[in-house]
mmCIF file of all heavy atoms in Angstrom:
data_model
loop_
_atom_site.group_PDB
_atom_site.id
_atom_site.type_symbol
_atom_site.label_atom_id
_atom_site.label_comp_id
_atom_site.label_asym_id
_atom_site.label_seq_id
_atom_site.Cartn_x
_atom_site.Cartn_y
_atom_site.Cartn_z
ATOM 1 N N PRO A 1241 -17.950 3.316 -16.759
ATOM 2 C CA PRO A 1241 -19.298 2.775 -16.997
ATOM 3 C C PRO A 1241 -19.665 1.737 -15.938
ATOM 4 O O PRO A 1241 -18.774 1.110 -15.340
ATOM 5 C CB PRO A 1241 -19.174 2.133 -18.392
ATOM 6 C CG PRO A 1241 -17.988 2.785 -19.021
ATOM 7 C CD PRO A 1241 -17.048 3.082 -17.892
ATOM 8 N N PRO A 1242 -20.962 1.514 -15.696
ATOM 9 C CA PRO A 1242 -21.391 0.591 -14.643
ATOM 10 C C PRO A 1242 -20.797 -0.808 -14.754
ATOM 11 O O PRO A 1242 -20.452 -1.419 -13.744
ATOM 12 C CB PRO A 1242 -22.916 0.564 -14.803
ATOM 13 C CG PRO A 1242 -23.249 1.891 -15.396
ATOM 14 C CD PRO A 1242 -22.113 2.224 -16.314
ATOM 15 N N ALA A 1243 -20.671 -1.333 -15.976
ATOM 16 C CA ALA A 1243 -20.187 -2.708 -16.142
ATOM 17 C C ALA A 1243 -18.708 -2.856 -15.829
ATOM 18 O O ALA A 1243 -18.205 -3.975 -15.755
ATOM 19 C CB ALA A 1243 -20.451 -3.186 -17.571
ATOM 20 N N GLU A 1244 -17.978 -1.745 -15.641
ATOM 21 C CA GLU A 1244 -16.542 -1.809 -15.341
ATOM 22 C C GLU A 1244 -16.230 -1.374 -13.916
ATOM 23 O O GLU A 1244 -15.071 -1.338 -13.523
ATOM 24 C CB GLU A 1244 -15.767 -0.913 -16.320
ATOM 25 C CG GLU A 1244 -15.905 -1.295 -17.782
ATOM 26 C CD GLU A 1244 -15.154 -0.342 -18.705
ATOM 27 O OE1 GLU A 1244 -14.350 0.471 -18.204
ATOM 28 O OE2 GLU A 1244 -15.368 -0.393 -19.926
ATOM 29 N N ARG A 1245 -17.258 -1.048 -13.132
ATOM 30 C CA ARG A 1245 -17.012 -0.431 -11.833
ATOM 31 C C ARG A 1245 -16.329 -1.349 -10.834
ATOM 32 O O ARG A 1245 -15.456 -0.910 -10.076
ATOM 33 C CB ARG A 1245 -18.341 0.076 -11.251
ATOM 34 C CG ARG A 1245 -18.795 1.376 -11.885
ATOM 35 C CD ARG A 1245 -20.120 1.817 -11.320
ATOM 36 N NE ARG A 1245 -20.587 3.026 -11.995
ATOM 37 C CZ ARG A 1245 -21.829 3.454 -11.925
ATOM 38 N NH1 ARG A 1245 -22.716 2.772 -11.220
ATOM 39 N NH2 ARG A 1245 -22.178 4.556 -12.554
ATOM 40 N N ALA A 1246 -16.735 -2.607 -10.785
ATOM 41 C CA ALA A 1246 -16.118 -3.513 -9.821
ATOM 42 C C ALA A 1246 -14.634 -3.659 -10.109
ATOM 43 O O ALA A 1246 -13.795 -3.670 -9.197
ATOM 44 C CB ALA A 1246 -16.811 -4.879 -9.852
ATOM 45 N N ARG A 1247 -14.289 -3.751 -11.405
ATOM 46 C CA ARG A 1247 -12.882 -3.907 -11.792
ATOM 47 C C ARG A 1247 -12.061 -2.660 -11.439
ATOM 48 O O ARG A 1247 -10.966 -2.749 -10.889
ATOM 49 C CB ARG A 1247 -12.788 -4.211 -13.280
ATOM 50 C CG ARG A 1247 -11.388 -4.516 -13.764
ATOM 51 C CD ARG A 1247 -11.406 -5.190 -15.118
ATOM 52 N NE ARG A 1247 -11.916 -4.332 -16.183
ATOM 53 C CZ ARG A 1247 -13.110 -4.473 -16.757
ATOM 54 N NH1 ARG A 1247 -13.934 -5.419 -16.335
ATOM 55 N NH2 ARG A 1247 -13.492 -3.677 -17.730
ATOM 56 N N PHE A 1248 -12.612 -1.480 -11.757
ATOM 57 C CA PHE A 1248 -11.900 -0.253 -11.435
ATOM 58 C C PHE A 1248 -11.890 0.002 -9.929
ATOM 59 O O PHE A 1248 -10.914 0.548 -9.392
ATOM 60 C CB PHE A 1248 -12.523 0.938 -12.170
ATOM 61 C CG PHE A 1248 -11.934 1.177 -13.529
ATOM 62 C CD1 PHE A 1248 -12.377 0.459 -14.625
ATOM 63 C CD2 PHE A 1248 -10.915 2.092 -13.714
ATOM 64 C CE1 PHE A 1248 -11.839 0.654 -15.882
ATOM 65 C CE2 PHE A 1248 -10.362 2.306 -14.960
ATOM 66 C CZ PHE A 1248 -10.820 1.586 -16.055
ATOM 67 N N GLY A 1249 -12.987 -0.374 -9.254
ATOM 68 C CA GLY A 1249 -12.999 -0.242 -7.807
ATOM 69 C C GLY A 1249 -11.898 -1.078 -7.173
ATOM 70 O O GLY A 1249 -11.215 -0.638 -6.242
ATOM 71 N N ALA A 1250 -11.707 -2.306 -7.691
ATOM 72 C CA ALA A 1250 -10.646 -3.169 -7.178
ATOM 73 C C ALA A 1250 -9.272 -2.591 -7.508
ATOM 74 O O ALA A 1250 -8.350 -2.640 -6.696
ATOM 75 C CB ALA A 1250 -10.782 -4.571 -7.764
ATOM 76 N N MET A 1251 -9.137 -2.018 -8.723
ATOM 77 C CA MET A 1251 -7.849 -1.461 -9.130
ATOM 78 C C MET A 1251 -7.440 -0.302 -8.229
ATOM 79 O O MET A 1251 -6.320 -0.271 -7.707
ATOM 80 C CB MET A 1251 -7.914 -0.977 -10.586
ATOM 81 C CG MET A 1251 -6.606 -0.353 -11.076
ATOM 82 S SD MET A 1251 -6.765 0.481 -12.683
ATOM 83 C CE MET A 1251 -7.302 -0.872 -13.728
ATOM 84 N N ILE A 1252 -8.363 0.653 -8.035
ATOM 85 C CA ILE A 1252 -8.016 1.852 -7.272
ATOM 86 C C ILE A 1252 -8.033 1.592 -5.771
ATOM 87 O O ILE A 1252 -7.036 1.806 -5.075
ATOM 88 C CB ILE A 1252 -8.964 3.001 -7.639
ATOM 89 C CG1 ILE A 1252 -8.712 3.439 -9.092
ATOM 90 C CG2 ILE A 1252 -8.782 4.179 -6.686
ATOM 91 C CD1 ILE A 1252 -9.627 4.538 -9.579
ATOM 92 N N PHE A 1253 -9.163 1.104 -5.265
ATOM 93 C CA PHE A 1253 -9.259 0.921 -3.825
ATOM 94 C C PHE A 1253 -8.425 -0.267 -3.352
ATOM 95 O O PHE A 1253 -8.078 -0.352 -2.174
ATOM 96 C CB PHE A 1253 -10.719 0.778 -3.410
ATOM 97 C CG PHE A 1253 -11.518 2.023 -3.665
ATOM 98 C CD1 PHE A 1253 -12.566 2.027 -4.570
ATOM 99 C CD2 PHE A 1253 -11.201 3.208 -3.034
ATOM 100 C CE1 PHE A 1253 -13.294 3.176 -4.831
ATOM 101 C CE2 PHE A 1253 -11.913 4.362 -3.273
ATOM 102 C CZ PHE A 1253 -12.969 4.351 -4.176
ATOM 103 N N GLY A 1254 -8.098 -1.171 -4.288
ATOM 104 C CA GLY A 1254 -7.148 -2.230 -3.954
ATOM 105 C C GLY A 1254 -5.762 -1.686 -3.680
ATOM 106 O O GLY A 1254 -4.923 -2.357 -3.082
ATOM 107 N N GLY A 1255 -5.520 -0.420 -4.110
ATOM 108 C CA GLY A 1255 -4.256 0.224 -3.767
ATOM 109 C C GLY A 1255 -4.058 0.321 -2.274
ATOM 110 O O GLY A 1255 -2.922 0.405 -1.788
ATOM 111 N N ALA A 1256 -5.159 0.333 -1.529
ATOM 112 C CA ALA A 1256 -5.047 0.324 -0.068
ATOM 113 C C ALA A 1256 -4.270 -0.895 0.399
ATOM 114 O O ALA A 1256 -3.470 -0.824 1.341
ATOM 115 C CB ALA A 1256 -6.442 0.337 0.562
ATOM 116 N N GLN A 1257 -4.502 -2.033 -0.287
ATOM 117 C CA GLN A 1257 -3.782 -3.237 0.108
ATOM 118 C C GLN A 1257 -2.312 -3.179 -0.279
ATOM 119 O O GLN A 1257 -1.454 -3.732 0.404
ATOM 120 C CB GLN A 1257 -4.442 -4.474 -0.511
ATOM 121 C CG GLN A 1257 -5.915 -4.611 -0.226
ATOM 122 C CD GLN A 1257 -6.297 -4.142 1.157
ATOM 123 O OE1 GLN A 1257 -5.659 -4.467 2.143
ATOM 124 N NE2 GLN A 1257 -7.341 -3.337 1.220
ATOM 125 N N VAL A 1258 -2.017 -2.503 -1.407
ATOM 126 C CA VAL A 1258 -0.614 -2.289 -1.760
ATOM 127 C C VAL A 1258 0.063 -1.492 -0.656
ATOM 128 O O VAL A 1258 1.191 -1.785 -0.242
ATOM 129 C CB VAL A 1258 -0.494 -1.561 -3.113
ATOM 130 C CG1 VAL A 1258 0.962 -1.246 -3.430
ATOM 131 C CG2 VAL A 1258 -1.101 -2.403 -4.229
ATOM 132 N N GLY A 1259 -0.649 -0.460 -0.142
ATOM 133 C CA GLY A 1259 -0.110 0.311 0.973
ATOM 134 C C GLY A 1259 0.035 -0.518 2.230
ATOM 135 O O GLY A 1259 1.029 -0.400 2.964
ATOM 136 N N ASN A 1260 -0.949 -1.374 2.482
ATOM 137 C CA ASN A 1260 -0.874 -2.235 3.660
ATOM 138 C C ASN A 1260 0.233 -3.281 3.543
ATOM 139 O O ASN A 1260 0.726 -3.786 4.557
ATOM 140 C CB ASN A 1260 -2.217 -2.934 3.877
ATOM 141 C CG ASN A 1260 -3.279 -1.993 4.417
ATOM 142 O OD1 ASN A 1260 -2.959 -1.032 5.099
ATOM 143 N ND2 ASN A 1260 -4.531 -2.251 4.075
ATOM 144 N N ILE A 1261 0.575 -3.626 2.308
ATOM 145 C CA ILE A 1261 1.680 -4.566 2.080
ATOM 146 C C ILE A 1261 3.020 -3.852 2.238
ATOM 147 O O ILE A 1261 3.894 -4.287 2.998
ATOM 148 C CB ILE A 1261 1.580 -5.186 0.671
ATOM 149 C CG1 ILE A 1261 0.342 -6.080 0.556
ATOM 150 C CG2 ILE A 1261 2.847 -5.988 0.341
ATOM 151 C CD1 ILE A 1261 -0.032 -6.419 -0.869
ATOM 152 N N LEU A 1262 3.174 -2.743 1.496
ATOM 153 C CA LEU A 1262 4.464 -2.058 1.474
ATOM 154 C C LEU A 1262 4.741 -1.295 2.765
ATOM 155 O O LEU A 1262 5.903 -1.166 3.174
ATOM 156 C CB LEU A 1262 4.517 -1.105 0.282
ATOM 157 C CG LEU A 1262 4.449 -1.765 -1.100
ATOM 158 C CD1 LEU A 1262 4.518 -0.702 -2.192
ATOM 159 C CD2 LEU A 1262 5.586 -2.765 -1.273
ATOM 160 N N GLY A 1263 3.668 -0.782 3.406
ATOM 161 C CA GLY A 1263 3.878 -0.023 4.642
ATOM 162 C C GLY A 1263 4.604 -0.831 5.708
ATOM 163 O O GLY A 1263 5.711 -0.455 6.136
ATOM 164 N N PRO A 1264 4.053 -1.966 6.161
ATOM 165 C CA PRO A 1264 4.764 -2.770 7.161
ATOM 166 C C PRO A 1264 6.075 -3.351 6.644
ATOM 167 O O PRO A 1264 7.062 -3.423 7.380
ATOM 168 C CB PRO A 1264 3.760 -3.892 7.486
ATOM 169 C CG PRO A 1264 2.434 -3.359 7.077
ATOM 170 C CD PRO A 1264 2.698 -2.482 5.899
ATOM 171 N N LEU A 1265 6.083 -3.785 5.360
ATOM 172 C CA LEU A 1265 7.274 -4.440 4.818
ATOM 173 C C LEU A 1265 8.451 -3.478 4.775
ATOM 174 O O LEU A 1265 9.552 -3.781 5.265
ATOM 175 C CB LEU A 1265 6.969 -4.986 3.423
ATOM 176 C CG LEU A 1265 7.970 -5.973 2.821
ATOM 177 C CD1 LEU A 1265 8.113 -7.193 3.711
ATOM 178 C CD2 LEU A 1265 7.522 -6.386 1.432
ATOM 179 N N ILE A 1266 8.247 -2.301 4.177
ATOM 180 C CA ILE A 1266 9.335 -1.325 4.080
ATOM 181 C C ILE A 1266 9.690 -0.769 5.455
ATOM 182 O O ILE A 1266 10.872 -0.573 5.770
ATOM 183 C CB ILE A 1266 8.936 -0.190 3.113
ATOM 184 C CG1 ILE A 1266 8.772 -0.745 1.697
ATOM 185 C CG2 ILE A 1266 9.983 0.918 3.123
ATOM 186 C CD1 ILE A 1266 8.267 0.270 0.686
ATOM 187 N N SER A 1267 8.677 -0.560 6.284
ATOM 188 C CA SER A 1267 8.948 -0.082 7.642
ATOM 189 C C SER A 1267 9.816 -1.071 8.401
ATOM 190 O O SER A 1267 10.755 -0.677 9.104
ATOM 191 C CB SER A 1267 7.633 0.157 8.397
ATOM 192 O OG SER A 1267 6.865 1.161 7.788
ATOM 193 N N GLY A 1268 9.499 -2.368 8.258
ATOM 194 C CA GLY A 1268 10.290 -3.388 8.938
ATOM 195 C C GLY A 1268 11.738 -3.383 8.487
ATOM 196 O O GLY A 1268 12.665 -3.546 9.300
ATOM 197 N N LEU A 1269 11.960 -3.185 7.190
ATOM 198 C CA LEU A 1269 13.331 -3.140 6.670
ATOM 199 C C LEU A 1269 14.066 -1.897 7.177
ATOM 200 O O LEU A 1269 15.258 -1.965 7.518
ATOM 201 C CB LEU A 1269 13.310 -3.146 5.136
ATOM 202 C CG LEU A 1269 12.782 -4.433 4.476
ATOM 203 C CD1 LEU A 1269 12.674 -4.249 2.967
ATOM 204 C CD2 LEU A 1269 13.696 -5.603 4.812
ATOM 205 N N ILE A 1270 13.367 -0.766 7.225
ATOM 206 C CA ILE A 1270 13.997 0.466 7.707
ATOM 207 C C ILE A 1270 14.330 0.369 9.196
ATOM 208 O O ILE A 1270 15.378 0.844 9.656
ATOM 209 C CB ILE A 1270 13.074 1.675 7.443
ATOM 210 C CG1 ILE A 1270 12.930 1.922 5.931
ATOM 211 C CG2 ILE A 1270 13.619 2.933 8.119
ATOM 212 C CD1 ILE A 1270 11.901 2.984 5.582
ATOM 213 N N LEU A 1271 13.440 -0.271 9.961
ATOM 214 C CA LEU A 1271 13.608 -0.343 11.414
ATOM 215 C C LEU A 1271 14.522 -1.471 11.869
ATOM 216 O O LEU A 1271 14.950 -1.489 13.029
ATOM 217 C CB LEU A 1271 12.236 -0.508 12.076
ATOM 218 C CG LEU A 1271 11.256 0.662 11.907
ATOM 219 C CD1 LEU A 1271 9.872 0.269 12.389
ATOM 220 C CD2 LEU A 1271 11.755 1.900 12.646
ATOM 221 N N ALA A 1272 14.802 -2.420 10.970
ATOM 222 C CA ALA A 1272 15.634 -3.573 11.344
ATOM 223 C C ALA A 1272 17.025 -3.107 11.764
ATOM 224 O O ALA A 1272 17.544 -2.098 11.272
ATOM 225 C CB ALA A 1272 15.729 -4.549 10.179
ATOM 226 N N ASP A 1273 17.621 -3.840 12.690
ATOM 227 C CA ASP A 1273 18.987 -3.583 13.159
ATOM 228 C C ASP A 1273 19.149 -2.176 13.723
ATOM 229 O O ASP A 1273 20.162 -1.495 13.481
ATOM 230 C CB ASP A 1273 20.000 -3.805 12.015
ATOM 231 C CG ASP A 1273 19.919 -5.212 11.434
ATOM 232 O OD1 ASP A 1273 19.761 -6.162 12.235
ATOM 233 O OD2 ASP A 1273 19.992 -5.344 10.203
ATOM 234 N N GLY A 1274 18.136 -1.731 14.456
ATOM 235 C CA GLY A 1274 18.234 -0.441 15.124
ATOM 236 C C GLY A 1274 18.066 0.767 14.229
ATOM 237 O O GLY A 1274 18.548 1.856 14.548
ATOM 238 N N GLY A 1275 17.363 0.610 13.096
ATOM 239 C CA GLY A 1275 17.149 1.727 12.187
ATOM 240 C C GLY A 1275 16.352 2.848 12.821
ATOM 241 O O GLY A 1275 15.527 2.626 13.714
ATOM 242 N N ASP A 1276 16.581 4.060 12.362
ATOM 243 C CA ASP A 1276 15.921 5.249 12.906
ATOM 244 C C ASP A 1276 14.462 5.269 12.471
ATOM 245 O O ASP A 1276 14.153 5.299 11.281
ATOM 246 C CB ASP A 1276 16.645 6.495 12.390
ATOM 247 C CG ASP A 1276 16.160 7.773 13.063
ATOM 248 O OD1 ASP A 1276 15.116 7.735 13.737
ATOM 249 O OD2 ASP A 1276 16.836 8.807 12.909
ATOM 250 N N TRP A 1277 13.535 5.295 13.434
ATOM 251 C CA TRP A 1277 12.111 5.269 13.091
ATOM 252 C C TRP A 1277 11.665 6.515 12.328
ATOM 253 O O TRP A 1277 10.679 6.481 11.587
ATOM 254 C CB TRP A 1277 11.244 5.066 14.327
ATOM 255 C CG TRP A 1277 11.410 6.050 15.447
ATOM 256 C CD1 TRP A 1277 12.133 5.875 16.587
ATOM 257 C CD2 TRP A 1277 10.825 7.354 15.556
ATOM 258 N NE1 TRP A 1277 12.039 6.976 17.396
ATOM 259 C CE2 TRP A 1277 11.243 7.907 16.793
ATOM 260 C CE3 TRP A 1277 9.995 8.109 14.749
ATOM 261 C CZ2 TRP A 1277 10.865 9.171 17.225
ATOM 262 C CZ3 TRP A 1277 9.605 9.376 15.169
ATOM 263 C CH2 TRP A 1277 10.038 9.899 16.381
ATOM 264 N N ALA A 1278 12.379 7.615 12.456
ATOM 265 C CA ALA A 1278 12.006 8.835 11.735
ATOM 266 C C ALA A 1278 12.093 8.643 10.221
ATOM 267 O O ALA A 1278 11.347 9.266 9.455
ATOM 268 C CB ALA A 1278 12.906 9.995 12.167
ATOM 269 N N ASN A 1279 13.002 7.771 9.776
ATOM 270 C CA ASN A 1279 13.175 7.556 8.335
ATOM 271 C C ASN A 1279 11.917 6.984 7.683
ATOM 272 O O ASN A 1279 11.678 7.194 6.493
ATOM 273 C CB ASN A 1279 14.361 6.618 8.080
ATOM 274 C CG ASN A 1279 15.687 7.281 8.398
ATOM 275 O OD1 ASN A 1279 15.807 8.507 8.330
ATOM 276 N ND2 ASN A 1279 16.690 6.488 8.758
ATOM 277 N N VAL A 1280 11.123 6.247 8.445
ATOM 278 C CA VAL A 1280 9.873 5.697 7.918
ATOM 279 C C VAL A 1280 8.960 6.833 7.452
ATOM 280 O O VAL A 1280 8.396 6.795 6.355
ATOM 281 C CB VAL A 1280 9.168 4.832 8.983
ATOM 282 C CG1 VAL A 1280 7.801 4.375 8.481
ATOM 283 C CG2 VAL A 1280 10.028 3.633 9.357
#
C-alpha cells in the first residue's frame, strides 16, 4: 500500500547496501594473504 512504500523500498532496495557492505568485506577476506581472486 502507498503508506508503506518508503519502508518497503528501504527494506528491499536497501539490500543494495548490504551487497555493497558484504561484497568488499568478504572479497577483502578472501583476497587477504594472497588469496585466489577466482574464489570471490
Side-chain angles (χ1 to χ4, degrees):
E1244 299 178 12
R1245 282 178 183 164
R1247 185 163 66 253
F1248 271 83
M1251 179 190 300
I1252 292 178
F1253 295 116
Q1257 306 324 314
V1258 176
N1260 286 332
I1261 293 164
L1262 296 180
L1265 194 59
I1266 295 175
S1267 297
L1269 294 174
I1270 293 173
L1271 296 170
D1273 303 319
D1276 188 347
W1277 56 260
N1279 290 333
V1280 174

